[in-house]
């Protein structure tokens, strides 16, 4: 509690909770809740964490994204260094890792792309999606949620890009954050109803995990 704008969360390689809170990247003990570390963010400095709004595991590193700073970064929490900073994406709303590559949701381009570290070339996973928000990837499967239409799509299978993104389920109310559990089921934060859902991609029915969550910020008028 007490954070100004917690936007993204992840469990790092040490089993500790990391929170992307725009003005900082914070680490907490998952057992006690004690704050262990605060890394203050910057604007326009590629050598430091740039206003992180999402965070996820990237091997033993962390992957952050920020639409505000238009940056996707690889952060080494041990050395306290930015190991890679990509600022050529088109308003990145989210970024996750899949098999060592980076998947990025680009709001301004209305697409989802895959990029290998060290490259400046993008492979398009979904080229026509209104507001790509939540991303999730594991074991060669990747998914994206469209905040506007309420549809979740599968993008890859066994690491191979699907020729046409496969709709998994629709009718959701502004899905945002997503993750995959140990059984390959999607955990989805449905901001429009303030619920946490669980959806099995192989048998896509909605299971409500929690309701009445204080999540989601209203959009700026216009």
């Amino acid at each position: 509690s007490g954070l100004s704008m917690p936007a993204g969360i992840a469990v790092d390689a040490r089993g500790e909770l990391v929170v992307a809170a725009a003005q900082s990247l914070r680490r907490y003990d998952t057992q006690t809740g004690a704050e262990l570390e605060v890394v203050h963010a910057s604007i326009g400095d590629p050598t430091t964490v740039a206003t992180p709004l999402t965070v996820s595991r990237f091997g033993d590193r962390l992957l952050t994204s920020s639409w505000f700073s238009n940056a996707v970064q690889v952060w080494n929490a041990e050395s306290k260094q930015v190991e890679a900073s990509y600022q050529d994406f088109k308003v990145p709303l989210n970024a996750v890792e899949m098999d060592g590559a980076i998947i990025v949701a680009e709001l301004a381009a209305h697409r989802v792309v895959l990029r290998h570290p060290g490259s400046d070339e993008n492979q398009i996973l979904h080229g026509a999606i209104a507001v790509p928000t939540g991303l999730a990837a594991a074991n060669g499967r990747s998914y994206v949620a469209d905040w506007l239409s309420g549809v979740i799509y599968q993008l890859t299978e066994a690491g191979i890009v699907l020729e046409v993104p496969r709709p998994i389920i629709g009718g959701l109310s502004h899905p945002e954050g997503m993750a995959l559990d140990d059984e390959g089921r999607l955990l989805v934060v449905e901001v429009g109803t303030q619920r946490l859902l669980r959806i099995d991609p192989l048998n896509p029915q909605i299971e409500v995990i929690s309701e009445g969550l204080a999540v989601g910020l209203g959009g700026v008028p216009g």
Side-chain angles (χ1 to χ4, degrees):
S1 63
L3 293 171
S4 60
M5 194 175 74
I9 60 173
V11 176
D12 66 14
R14 293 172 289 193
E16 294 164 346
L17 184 69
V18 180
V19 180
Q23 298 176 9
S24 60
L25 193 64
R26 296 171 180 260
R27 186 163 54 89
Y28 296 89
D29 187 303
T30 55
Q31 301 302 312
T32 66
E35 187 175 81
L36 303 175
E37 181 182 48
V38 178
V39 177
H40 294 287
S42 72
I43 299 176
D45 182 357
T47 66
T48 59
V49 177
T51 56
L53 295 169
T54 73
V55 60
S56 57
R57 282 278 300 276
F58 191 75
D60 59 355
R61 310 295 201 258
L62 293 170
L63 184 65
T64 66
S65 74
S66 173
W67 60 262
F68 187 84
S69 294
N70 206 76
V72 173
Q73 296 179 309
V74 178
W75 171 252
N76 187 325
E78 296 295 334
S79 66
K80 306 294 187 294
Q81 291 182 328
V82 173
E83 295 190 349
S85 186
Y86 304 94
Q87 295 181 289
D88 58 329
F89 290 110
K90 303 179 189 303
V91 189
L93 289 185
N94 204 345
V96 299
E97 181 266 348
M98 186 183 76
D99 298 334
I102 299 169
I103 296 176
V104 181
E106 294 183 295
L107 174 62
H110 305 292
R111 66 182 188 176
V112 182
V113 298
L114 182 145
R115 178 181 296 186
H116 292 280
S119 171
D120 59 0
E121 296 184 1
N122 296 322
Q123 181 178 8
I124 296 176
L125 305 186
H126 195 318
I129 181 169
V131 183
T133 48
L135 292 172
N139 302 319
R141 288 182 176 175
S142 60
Y143 304 87
V144 63
D146 183 353
W147 183 91
L148 188 63
S149 70
V151 177
I152 294 175
Y153 296 91
Q154 182 178 352
L155 305 172
T156 61
E157 176 67 41
I160 305 300
V161 178
L162 299 179
E163 186 174 340
V164 178
R166 182 166 69 92
I168 295 298
I169 195 169
L172 302 183
S173 179
H174 302 327
E176 288 192 14
M178 292 204 306
L180 284 161
D181 68 13
D182 291 340
E183 297 182 27
R185 299 172 300 186
L186 283 163
L187 301 173
V188 183
V189 177
E190 189 184 34
V191 169
T193 60
Q194 297 189 311
R195 302 186 300 177
L196 176 63
L197 311 177
R198 182 160 57 203
I199 301 168
D200 184 347
L202 301 179
N203 182 26
Q205 298 184 15
I206 293 174
E207 178 185 357
V208 179
I209 302 300
S210 185
E211 298 183 277
L213 301 174
V215 294
L217 292 173
V220 176

PDB file of all heavy atoms in Angstrom, residues 189-216:
ATOM      1  N   VAL A 189      -7.112  -9.880 -15.711  1.00  0.00           N
ATOM      2  CA  VAL A 189      -7.723  -8.786 -14.953  1.00  0.00           C
ATOM      3  C   VAL A 189      -8.723  -8.091 -15.865  1.00  0.00           C
ATOM      4  O   VAL A 189      -8.347  -7.469 -16.861  1.00  0.00           O
ATOM      5  CB  VAL A 189      -6.669  -7.780 -14.466  1.00  0.00           C
ATOM      6  CG1 VAL A 189      -7.354  -6.619 -13.734  1.00  0.00           C
ATOM      7  CG2 VAL A 189      -5.673  -8.460 -13.545  1.00  0.00           C
ATOM      8  N   GLU A 190     -10.001  -8.225 -15.532  1.00  0.00           N
ATOM      9  CA  GLU A 190     -11.085  -7.624 -16.317  1.00  0.00           C
ATOM     10  C   GLU A 190     -11.467  -6.313 -15.636  1.00  0.00           C
ATOM     11  O   GLU A 190     -12.264  -6.281 -14.694  1.00  0.00           O
ATOM     12  CB  GLU A 190     -12.282  -8.580 -16.392  1.00  0.00           C
ATOM     13  CG  GLU A 190     -13.353  -8.121 -17.353  1.00  0.00           C
ATOM     14  CD  GLU A 190     -14.568  -9.045 -17.320  1.00  0.00           C
ATOM     15  OE1 GLU A 190     -14.886  -9.573 -16.227  1.00  0.00           O
ATOM     16  OE2 GLU A 190     -15.199  -9.225 -18.362  1.00  0.00           O
ATOM     17  N   VAL A 191     -10.883  -5.227 -16.127  1.00  0.00           N
ATOM     18  CA  VAL A 191     -11.026  -3.935 -15.455  1.00  0.00           C
ATOM     19  C   VAL A 191     -12.468  -3.437 -15.483  1.00  0.00           C
ATOM     20  O   VAL A 191     -12.936  -2.802 -14.538  1.00  0.00           O
ATOM     21  CB  VAL A 191     -10.067  -2.907 -16.093  1.00  0.00           C
ATOM     22  CG1 VAL A 191     -10.373  -1.506 -15.606  1.00  0.00           C
ATOM     23  CG2 VAL A 191      -8.631  -3.266 -15.744  1.00  0.00           C
ATOM     24  N   GLY A 192     -13.186  -3.722 -16.573  1.00  0.00           N
ATOM     25  CA  GLY A 192     -14.557  -3.213 -16.687  1.00  0.00           C
ATOM     26  C   GLY A 192     -15.485  -3.722 -15.612  1.00  0.00           C
ATOM     27  O   GLY A 192     -16.466  -3.050 -15.265  1.00  0.00           O
ATOM     28  N   THR A 193     -15.217  -4.923 -15.076  1.00  0.00           N
ATOM     29  CA  THR A 193     -16.044  -5.478 -14.003  1.00  0.00           C
ATOM     30  C   THR A 193     -15.272  -5.600 -12.690  1.00  0.00           C
ATOM     31  O   THR A 193     -15.827  -6.055 -11.706  1.00  0.00           O
ATOM     32  CB  THR A 193     -16.555  -6.874 -14.384  1.00  0.00           C
ATOM     33  OG1 THR A 193     -15.430  -7.738 -14.608  1.00  0.00           O
ATOM     34  CG2 THR A 193     -17.410  -6.816 -15.638  1.00  0.00           C
ATOM     35  N   GLN A 194     -13.992  -5.198 -12.718  1.00  0.00           N
ATOM     36  CA  GLN A 194     -13.106  -5.268 -11.548  1.00  0.00           C
ATOM     37  C   GLN A 194     -13.039  -6.692 -10.976  1.00  0.00           C
ATOM     38  O   GLN A 194     -13.139  -6.909  -9.779  1.00  0.00           O
ATOM     39  CB  GLN A 194     -13.551  -4.266 -10.478  1.00  0.00           C
ATOM     40  CG  GLN A 194     -13.449  -2.820 -10.973  1.00  0.00           C
ATOM     41  CD  GLN A 194     -13.679  -1.808  -9.889  1.00  0.00           C
ATOM     42  OE1 GLN A 194     -14.653  -1.894  -9.139  1.00  0.00           O
ATOM     43  NE2 GLN A 194     -12.786  -0.840  -9.783  1.00  0.00           N
ATOM     44  N   ARG A 195     -12.836  -7.651 -11.918  1.00  0.00           N
ATOM     45  CA  ARG A 195     -12.733  -9.055 -11.537  1.00  0.00           C
ATOM     46  C   ARG A 195     -11.407  -9.653 -12.007  1.00  0.00           C
ATOM     47  O   ARG A 195     -10.788  -9.159 -12.952  1.00  0.00           O
ATOM     48  CB  ARG A 195     -13.870  -9.873 -12.151  1.00  0.00           C
ATOM     49  CG  ARG A 195     -15.259  -9.414 -11.777  1.00  0.00           C
ATOM     50  CD  ARG A 195     -16.323 -10.381 -12.303  1.00  0.00           C
ATOM     51  NE  ARG A 195     -16.301 -10.515 -13.765  1.00  0.00           N
ATOM     52  CZ  ARG A 195     -17.086 -11.333 -14.452  1.00  0.00           C
ATOM     53  NH1 ARG A 195     -17.982 -12.099 -13.798  1.00  0.00           N
ATOM     54  NH2 ARG A 195     -17.020 -11.405 -15.773  1.00  0.00           N
ATOM     55  N   LEU A 196     -10.995 -10.718 -11.340  1.00  0.00           N
ATOM     56  CA  LEU A 196      -9.897 -11.553 -11.798  1.00  0.00           C
ATOM     57  C   LEU A 196     -10.494 -12.852 -12.307  1.00  0.00           C
ATOM     58  O   LEU A 196     -11.205 -13.546 -11.561  1.00  0.00           O
ATOM     59  CB  LEU A 196      -8.900 -11.825 -10.675  1.00  0.00           C
ATOM     60  CG  LEU A 196      -7.747 -12.785 -11.024  1.00  0.00           C
ATOM     61  CD1 LEU A 196      -6.875 -12.204 -12.125  1.00  0.00           C
ATOM     62  CD2 LEU A 196      -6.913 -13.100  -9.788  1.00  0.00           C
ATOM     63  N   LEU A 197     -10.198 -13.178 -13.580  1.00  0.00           N
ATOM     64  CA  LEU A 197     -10.789 -14.346 -14.219  1.00  0.00           C
ATOM     65  C   LEU A 197      -9.709 -15.394 -14.495  1.00  0.00           C
ATOM     66  O   LEU A 197      -8.541 -15.074 -14.655  1.00  0.00           O
ATOM     67  CB  LEU A 197     -11.441 -13.956 -15.551  1.00  0.00           C
ATOM     68  CG  LEU A 197     -12.382 -12.757 -15.541  1.00  0.00           C
ATOM     69  CD1 LEU A 197     -12.877 -12.474 -16.961  1.00  0.00           C
ATOM     70  CD2 LEU A 197     -13.550 -12.979 -14.593  1.00  0.00           C
ATOM     71  N   ARG A 198     -10.145 -16.647 -14.584  1.00  0.00           N
ATOM     72  CA  ARG A 198      -9.278 -17.722 -15.042  1.00  0.00           C
ATOM     73  C   ARG A 198      -9.954 -18.378 -16.242  1.00  0.00           C
ATOM     74  O   ARG A 198     -11.132 -18.722 -16.185  1.00  0.00           O
ATOM     75  CB  ARG A 198      -9.018 -18.746 -13.944  1.00  0.00           C
ATOM     76  CG  ARG A 198      -8.059 -19.873 -14.396  1.00  0.00           C
ATOM     77  CD  ARG A 198      -7.434 -20.580 -13.218  1.00  0.00           C
ATOM     78  NE  ARG A 198      -8.433 -21.134 -12.315  1.00  0.00           N
ATOM     79  CZ  ARG A 198      -8.195 -21.410 -11.032  1.00  0.00           C
ATOM     80  NH1 ARG A 198      -7.007 -21.170 -10.506  1.00  0.00           N
ATOM     81  NH2 ARG A 198      -9.147 -21.919 -10.271  1.00  0.00           N
ATOM     82  N   ILE A 199      -9.187 -18.538 -17.324  1.00  0.00           N
ATOM     83  CA  ILE A 199      -9.740 -19.063 -18.576  1.00  0.00           C
ATOM     84  C   ILE A 199      -8.785 -20.106 -19.130  1.00  0.00           C
ATOM     85  O   ILE A 199      -7.602 -19.814 -19.363  1.00  0.00           O
ATOM     86  CB  ILE A 199      -9.944 -17.930 -19.602  1.00  0.00           C
ATOM     87  CG1 ILE A 199     -10.894 -16.854 -19.053  1.00  0.00           C
ATOM     88  CG2 ILE A 199     -10.481 -18.486 -20.917  1.00  0.00           C
ATOM     89  CD1 ILE A 199     -10.929 -15.578 -19.873  1.00  0.00           C
ATOM     90  N   ASP A 200      -9.279 -21.302 -19.343  1.00  0.00           N
ATOM     91  CA  ASP A 200      -8.492 -22.357 -19.962  1.00  0.00           C
ATOM     92  C   ASP A 200      -8.596 -22.190 -21.481  1.00  0.00           C
ATOM     93  O   ASP A 200      -9.684 -22.317 -22.044  1.00  0.00           O
ATOM     94  CB  ASP A 200      -9.024 -23.727 -19.547  1.00  0.00           C
ATOM     95  CG  ASP A 200      -8.175 -24.878 -20.077  1.00  0.00           C
ATOM     96  OD1 ASP A 200      -7.321 -24.641 -20.951  1.00  0.00           O
ATOM     97  OD2 ASP A 200      -8.382 -26.014 -19.628  1.00  0.00           O
ATOM     98  N   PRO A 201      -7.483 -21.894 -22.180  1.00  0.00           N
ATOM     99  CA  PRO A 201      -7.560 -21.697 -23.638  1.00  0.00           C
ATOM    100  C   PRO A 201      -8.092 -22.918 -24.394  1.00  0.00           C
ATOM    101  O   PRO A 201      -8.643 -22.766 -25.482  1.00  0.00           O
ATOM    102  CB  PRO A 201      -6.104 -21.414 -24.027  1.00  0.00           C
ATOM    103  CG  PRO A 201      -5.461 -20.906 -22.777  1.00  0.00           C
ATOM    104  CD  PRO A 201      -6.125 -21.662 -21.666  1.00  0.00           C
ATOM    105  N   LEU A 202      -7.952 -24.105 -23.815  1.00  0.00           N
ATOM    106  CA  LEU A 202      -8.422 -25.309 -24.482  1.00  0.00           C
ATOM    107  C   LEU A 202      -9.900 -25.575 -24.224  1.00  0.00           C
ATOM    108  O   LEU A 202     -10.534 -26.356 -24.925  1.00  0.00           O
ATOM    109  CB  LEU A 202      -7.593 -26.515 -24.036  1.00  0.00           C
ATOM    110  CG  LEU A 202      -6.086 -26.408 -24.305  1.00  0.00           C
ATOM    111  CD1 LEU A 202      -5.368 -27.640 -23.790  1.00  0.00           C
ATOM    112  CD2 LEU A 202      -5.813 -26.183 -25.787  1.00  0.00           C
ATOM    113  N   ASN A 203     -10.432 -24.937 -23.209  1.00  0.00           N
ATOM    114  CA  ASN A 203     -11.851 -25.053 -22.870  1.00  0.00           C
ATOM    115  C   ASN A 203     -12.302 -23.697 -22.338  1.00  0.00           C
ATOM    116  O   ASN A 203     -12.484 -23.514 -21.132  1.00  0.00           O
ATOM    117  CB  ASN A 203     -12.071 -26.149 -21.819  1.00  0.00           C
ATOM    118  CG  ASN A 203     -13.540 -26.337 -21.484  1.00  0.00           C
ATOM    119  OD1 ASN A 203     -14.422 -26.047 -22.296  1.00  0.00           O
ATOM    120  ND2 ASN A 203     -13.810 -26.792 -20.265  1.00  0.00           N
ATOM    121  N   PRO A 204     -12.425 -22.728 -23.230  1.00  0.00           N
ATOM    122  CA  PRO A 204     -12.552 -21.328 -22.823  1.00  0.00           C
ATOM    123  C   PRO A 204     -13.891 -20.954 -22.194  1.00  0.00           C
ATOM    124  O   PRO A 204     -14.796 -20.458 -22.858  1.00  0.00           O
ATOM    125  CB  PRO A 204     -12.323 -20.563 -24.125  1.00  0.00           C
ATOM    126  CG  PRO A 204     -12.716 -21.516 -25.204  1.00  0.00           C
ATOM    127  CD  PRO A 204     -12.386 -22.880 -24.700  1.00  0.00           C
ATOM    128  N   GLN A 205     -13.968 -21.212 -20.899  1.00  0.00           N
ATOM    129  CA  GLN A 205     -15.094 -20.743 -20.103  1.00  0.00           C
ATOM    130  C   GLN A 205     -14.555 -19.897 -18.964  1.00  0.00           C
ATOM    131  O   GLN A 205     -13.453 -20.126 -18.470  1.00  0.00           O
ATOM    132  CB  GLN A 205     -15.902 -21.925 -19.570  1.00  0.00           C
ATOM    133  CG  GLN A 205     -16.520 -22.773 -20.678  1.00  0.00           C
ATOM    134  CD  GLN A 205     -17.397 -23.875 -20.130  1.00  0.00           C
ATOM    135  OE1 GLN A 205     -17.781 -23.860 -18.966  1.00  0.00           O
ATOM    136  NE2 GLN A 205     -17.720 -24.848 -20.964  1.00  0.00           N
ATOM    137  N   ILE A 206     -15.332 -18.916 -18.549  1.00  0.00           N
ATOM    138  CA  ILE A 206     -14.876 -17.963 -17.537  1.00  0.00           C
ATOM    139  C   ILE A 206     -15.079 -18.523 -16.138  1.00  0.00           C
ATOM    140  O   ILE A 206     -16.175 -18.961 -15.783  1.00  0.00           O
ATOM    141  CB  ILE A 206     -15.627 -16.625 -17.684  1.00  0.00           C
ATOM    142  CG1 ILE A 206     -15.230 -15.936 -18.997  1.00  0.00           C
ATOM    143  CG2 ILE A 206     -15.347 -15.713 -16.496  1.00  0.00           C
ATOM    144  CD1 ILE A 206     -16.009 -14.688 -19.288  1.00  0.00           C
ATOM    145  N   GLU A 207     -14.008 -18.502 -15.363  1.00  0.00           N
ATOM    146  CA  GLU A 207     -14.071 -18.831 -13.946  1.00  0.00           C
ATOM    147  C   GLU A 207     -13.662 -17.581 -13.171  1.00  0.00           C
ATOM    148  O   GLU A 207     -12.580 -17.043 -13.389  1.00  0.00           O
ATOM    149  CB  GLU A 207     -13.122 -19.984 -13.624  1.00  0.00           C
ATOM    150  CG  GLU A 207     -13.102 -20.364 -12.150  1.00  0.00           C
ATOM    151  CD  GLU A 207     -12.069 -21.430 -11.847  1.00  0.00           C
ATOM    152  OE1 GLU A 207     -11.411 -21.917 -12.785  1.00  0.00           O
ATOM    153  OE2 GLU A 207     -11.907 -21.752 -10.653  1.00  0.00           O
ATOM    154  N   VAL A 208     -14.528 -17.107 -12.303  1.00  0.00           N
ATOM    155  CA  VAL A 208     -14.252 -15.895 -11.533  1.00  0.00           C
ATOM    156  C   VAL A 208     -13.442 -16.268 -10.288  1.00  0.00           C
ATOM    157  O   VAL A 208     -13.890 -17.047  -9.454  1.00  0.00           O
ATOM    158  CB  VAL A 208     -15.543 -15.173 -11.139  1.00  0.00           C
ATOM    159  CG1 VAL A 208     -15.226 -13.926 -10.303  1.00  0.00           C
ATOM    160  CG2 VAL A 208     -16.342 -14.783 -12.384  1.00  0.00           C
ATOM    161  N   ILE A 209     -12.242 -15.710 -10.186  1.00  0.00           N
ATOM    162  CA  ILE A 209     -11.366 -15.969  -9.046  1.00  0.00           C
ATOM    163  C   ILE A 209     -11.610 -14.974  -7.928  1.00  0.00           C
ATOM    164  O   ILE A 209     -11.617 -15.316  -6.747  1.00  0.00           O
ATOM    165  CB  ILE A 209      -9.895 -15.926  -9.469  1.00  0.00           C
ATOM    166  CG1 ILE A 209      -9.620 -16.947 -10.585  1.00  0.00           C
ATOM    167  CG2 ILE A 209      -8.963 -16.174  -8.284  1.00  0.00           C
ATOM    168  CD1 ILE A 209      -9.906 -18.372 -10.177  1.00  0.00           C
ATOM    169  N   SER A 210     -11.818 -13.702  -8.308  1.00  0.00           N
ATOM    170  CA  SER A 210     -12.027 -12.665  -7.302  1.00  0.00           C
ATOM    171  C   SER A 210     -12.851 -11.537  -7.901  1.00  0.00           C
ATOM    172  O   SER A 210     -12.786 -11.269  -9.110  1.00  0.00           O
ATOM    173  CB  SER A 210     -10.676 -12.122  -6.810  1.00  0.00           C
ATOM    174  OG  SER A 210     -10.864 -11.200  -5.748  1.00  0.00           O
ATOM    175  N   GLU A 211     -13.644 -10.868  -7.060  1.00  0.00           N
ATOM    176  CA  GLU A 211     -14.492  -9.758  -7.500  1.00  0.00           C
ATOM    177  C   GLU A 211     -14.256  -8.543  -6.615  1.00  0.00           C
ATOM    178  O   GLU A 211     -13.643  -8.634  -5.551  1.00  0.00           O
ATOM    179  CB  GLU A 211     -15.966 -10.162  -7.446  1.00  0.00           C
ATOM    180  CG  GLU A 211     -16.341 -11.323  -8.362  1.00  0.00           C
ATOM    181  CD  GLU A 211     -17.824 -11.634  -8.315  1.00  0.00           C
ATOM    182  OE1 GLU A 211     -18.237 -12.358  -7.388  1.00  0.00           O
ATOM    183  OE2 GLU A 211     -18.556 -11.140  -9.201  1.00  0.00           O
ATOM    184  N   GLY A 212     -14.743  -7.406  -7.067  1.00  0.00           N
ATOM    185  CA  GLY A 212     -14.667  -6.189  -6.266  1.00  0.00           C
ATOM    186  C   GLY A 212     -13.256  -5.663  -6.091  1.00  0.00           C
ATOM    187  O   GLY A 212     -12.943  -5.039  -5.072  1.00  0.00           O
ATOM    188  N   LEU A 213     -12.401  -5.886  -7.076  1.00  0.00           N
ATOM    189  CA  LEU A 213     -11.011  -5.416  -6.977  1.00  0.00           C
ATOM    190  C   LEU A 213     -10.923  -3.938  -7.335  1.00  0.00           C
ATOM    191  O   LEU A 213     -11.563  -3.487  -8.293  1.00  0.00           O
ATOM    192  CB  LEU A 213     -10.127  -6.232  -7.911  1.00  0.00           C
ATOM    193  CG  LEU A 213     -10.098  -7.751  -7.679  1.00  0.00           C
ATOM    194  CD1 LEU A 213      -9.295  -8.441  -8.767  1.00  0.00           C
ATOM    195  CD2 LEU A 213      -9.521  -8.051  -6.308  1.00  0.00           C
ATOM    196  N   ALA A 214     -10.119  -3.212  -6.598  1.00  0.00           N
ATOM    197  CA  ALA A 214      -9.929  -1.782  -6.871  1.00  0.00           C
ATOM    198  C   ALA A 214      -8.847  -1.610  -7.939  1.00  0.00           C
ATOM    199  O   ALA A 214      -7.703  -1.256  -7.659  1.00  0.00           O
ATOM    200  CB  ALA A 214      -9.542  -1.051  -5.593  1.00  0.00           C
ATOM    201  N   VAL A 215      -9.222  -1.922  -9.179  1.00  0.00           N
ATOM    202  CA  VAL A 215      -8.247  -1.872 -10.286  1.00  0.00           C
ATOM    203  C   VAL A 215      -8.795  -0.988 -11.404  1.00  0.00           C
ATOM    204  O   VAL A 215      -9.997  -0.819 -11.553  1.00  0.00           O
ATOM    205  CB  VAL A 215      -7.955  -3.286 -10.845  1.00  0.00           C
ATOM    206  CG1 VAL A 215      -7.247  -4.135  -9.808  1.00  0.00           C
ATOM    207  CG2 VAL A 215      -9.236  -3.967 -11.311  1.00  0.00           C
ATOM    208  N   GLY A 216      -7.866  -0.442 -12.175  1.00  0.00           N
ATOM    209  CA  GLY A 216      -8.238   0.325 -13.349  1.00  0.00           C
ATOM    210  C   GLY A 216      -8.295   1.824 -13.079  1.00  0.00           C
ATOM    211  O   GLY A 216      -8.746   2.279 -12.034  1.00  0.00           O
TER     212      GLY A 216
END
